[in-house]
Amino acid sequence: MTSLPFPPAAAAAPARATGGAVNGGVTGGLIGAALAAFASFGLLVAIALPTSSACAAPATPSAPAAAQAASAPASAYRDLTWIQLVPPGWDPMKRFRDVGIGRLSDNSPRTAALMADLRDELDNAPLVDALQDTPVRLPGYVVPLQTDRDGVREFLLVPYFGACIHMPPPPANQIILVKLAQPAKQLRSMDTVWASGVMRLDRQPSDMGVSGYRLDAAVVEPYRNKPR
């Protein structure tokens, strides 16, 4: 599976996860879910190291700046990449590397316990404290959560195609709960968008996955190489 999140140097097109254990139908069940989780995050861990300049913590804006973010022009938002949502050096696979997941049986009690531990590790992924109250903008894929006749009001923003729908949810620090300032009528599942708003650290469970961040008073626009 190739599920590279957005490049660390600049916000680029979200990546589509292709092939892999689950998508390719090679492995299913609990083992397939584990392999998908490892594969989708492995490359991100490899480049989200303390030596990466992309992992430097952003400056925290003043309270007035955060309060005005919803009505601010595009230039007022800080462009983020998905790697910048991960604390430097975090490695969720460290405790699982020597387990030999590929050799386990789906019917084994040990496998079920391992999957529960893995899911717990990803759902409790650490966050970047410095992002609290920061006006930010980043691109991603849409996973609708709350929709009514006026359109989508809340959705999860994820870094690669199929996350939370066709594949297991990524770590919580790679899922953002987006609360729109106004409902979006034309928004559909897996649409690719730029989302702008005020970032909060707020771990929230949902039917589609656990989000670690929340984007308040958000606005969205169709993805382009450069947002307007």
Side-chain angles (χ1 to χ4, degrees):
M1 176 188 302
T2 56
S3 55
L4 175 65
F6 306 135
R16 287 178 178 257
T18 58
V22 174
N23 275 7
V26 177
T27 309
L30 295 173
I31 301 301
L35 293 176
F38 279 129
S40 66
F41 198 71
L43 192 50
L44 173 58
V45 170
I47 54 182
L49 299 175
T51 54
S52 171
S53 61
C55 293
T60 303
S62 64
Q68 296 169 6
S71 58
S75 59
Y77 294 101
R78 175 189 174 91
D79 283 343
L80 283 185
T81 64
W82 287 89
I83 293 171
Q84 290 173 292
L85 306 184
V86 180
W90 179 61
D91 183 358
M93 298 183 288
K94 183 176 181 179
R95 42 185 295 225
F96 302 100
R97 281 204 179 92
D98 298 328
V99 173
I101 290 179
R103 297 190 297 272
L104 296 178
S105 166
D106 274 359
N107 298 322
S108 167
R110 185 185 175 211
T111 301
L114 178 66
M115 295 306 97
D117 287 347
L118 172 59
R119 191 67 260 167
D120 183 70
E121 181 80 15
L122 299 180
D123 289 345
N124 289 283
L127 309 176
V128 177
D129 292 341
L131 290 175
Q132 177 70 18
D133 297 329
T134 306
V136 302
R137 175 179 56 204
L138 75 169
Y141 290 95
V142 172
V143 179
L145 287 183
Q146 183 180 339
T147 305
D148 57 28
R149 64 182 182 181
D150 295 320
V152 175
R153 294 183 178 274
E154 294 184 7
F155 64 89
L156 299 180
L157 190 71
V158 295
Y160 54 85
F161 186 87
C164 300
I165 296 179
H166 303 300
M167 291 182 291
N173 57 22
Q174 295 292 281
I175 303 178
I176 302 172
L177 172 62
V178 179
K179 291 179 173 285
L180 294 173
Q182 298 292 333
K185 267 195 175 299
Q186 303 302 319
L187 213 52
R188 299 291 183 267
S189 179
M190 287 293 114
D191 277 354
T192 317
V193 299
W194 283 95
S196 306
V198 179
M199 184 75 88
R200 318 285 190 194
L201 277 62
D202 182 21
R203 201 178 303 272
Q204 291 287 340
S206 75
D207 291 341
M208 306 305 290
V210 176
S211 54
Y213 297 98
R214 188 181 81 238
L215 207 58
D216 284 341
V219 294
V220 295
E221 60 179 301
Y223 176 79
R224 301 178 182 84
N225 285 337
K226 294 287 185 181
R228 290 178 181 174

